[in-house]
Amino acid sequence: VVRKSSAGTRFERELIQSAAAQGMHVHKLPVARMQGYMAKSIYDLLILYNGTYAGIECKVLSKPGSFPFSRVNDRQIISLEEVHKNGGRGLILINIRIPRKQEIRVLPITMFTLLLNTSKRRSISKEELDNLPCITKKGKFWDVEEIFKMPYP
């Protein structure tokens, strides 16, 4: 069994390696320390590609089902909205890691905040997740270039 924190870290490493293999420039944003404690980061990765950029928050789902809104904190929402307002792509990448299936669902911050503000539920349903754009693997790497090719609101 993989702990959620190490699964997230593994997912981040996979994305970094995949993006670098596709000629992208990637920054892993550091987590700030406050009085010896880990503070929540703004988002996980900044990827620069072909004159544009994406701020990316990485999340892992190890069980099929919904994605709780609470998995994304206020600071992450605000910082991804800032990326969007400044011409970048603010994205939440949800890596679904269940037996015999591994995929990444792409959730733009604009869609996340719309669902957060209009839904009567406390999560994004499995059906809504299934309707999000999906990144697949090309050989051993994720096709990160897809996030820059797909339509962005």
Side-chain angles (χ1 to χ4, degrees):
V1 175
V2 177
R3 292 191 328 261
K4 285 183 183 176
S5 60
S6 62
T9 303
R10 185 172 78 201
F11 176 39
E12 291 167 18
R13 279 193 313 264
E14 289 174 1
L15 278 176
I16 291 167
Q17 291 169 350
S18 296
Q22 293 166 55
M24 298 174 195
H25 189 76
V26 185
H27 285 283
K28 166 76 174 113
L29 282 102
V31 177
R33 292 188 181 272
M34 294 182 165
Q35 298 178 359
Y37 295 97
M38 298 294 276
K40 295 179 179 176
S41 68
I42 54 173
Y43 49 85
D44 295 313
L45 303 174
L46 178 64
I47 299 178
L48 309 169
Y49 180 68
N50 264 0
T52 189
Y53 68 102
I56 295 173
E57 178 58 29
C58 301
K59 299 296 181 188
V60 174
L61 272 183
S62 54
K63 293 187 278 187
S66 62
F67 179 78
F69 292 119
S70 62
R71 295 276 312 270
V72 184
N73 69 52
D74 290 343
R75 192 168 170 183
Q76 292 165 334
I77 294 169
I78 291 166
S79 61
L80 289 172
E81 286 175 333
E82 286 298 317
V83 168
H84 173 74
K85 287 177 191 172
N86 286 288
R89 293 174 178 241
L91 302 171
I92 301 165
L93 299 186
I94 304 167
N95 183 212
I96 300 171
R97 290 182 183 260
I98 56 177
R100 289 182 294 265
K101 183 178 184 183
Q102 193 176 152
E103 62 189 23
I104 297 174
R105 293 294 171 166
V106 181
L107 178 58
I109 191 61
T110 52
M111 185 180 294
F112 178 84
T113 54
L114 177 68
L115 291 169
L116 176 66
N117 295 326
T118 60
S119 178
K120 293 180 181 8
R121 298 182 317 272
R122 296 189 312 193
S123 63
I124 298 170
S125 71
K126 181 184 181 319
E127 292 75 28
E128 288 166 324
L129 283 175
D130 288 344
N131 287 324
L132 293 173
C134 186
I135 295 176
T136 56
K137 279 196 169 180
K138 273 185 168 177
K140 70 177 194 170
F141 296 113
W142 291 104
D143 189 6
V144 181
E145 189 177 28
E146 281 300 311
I147 66 172
F148 294 96
K149 290 180 178 178
M150 58 184 59
Y152 181 77

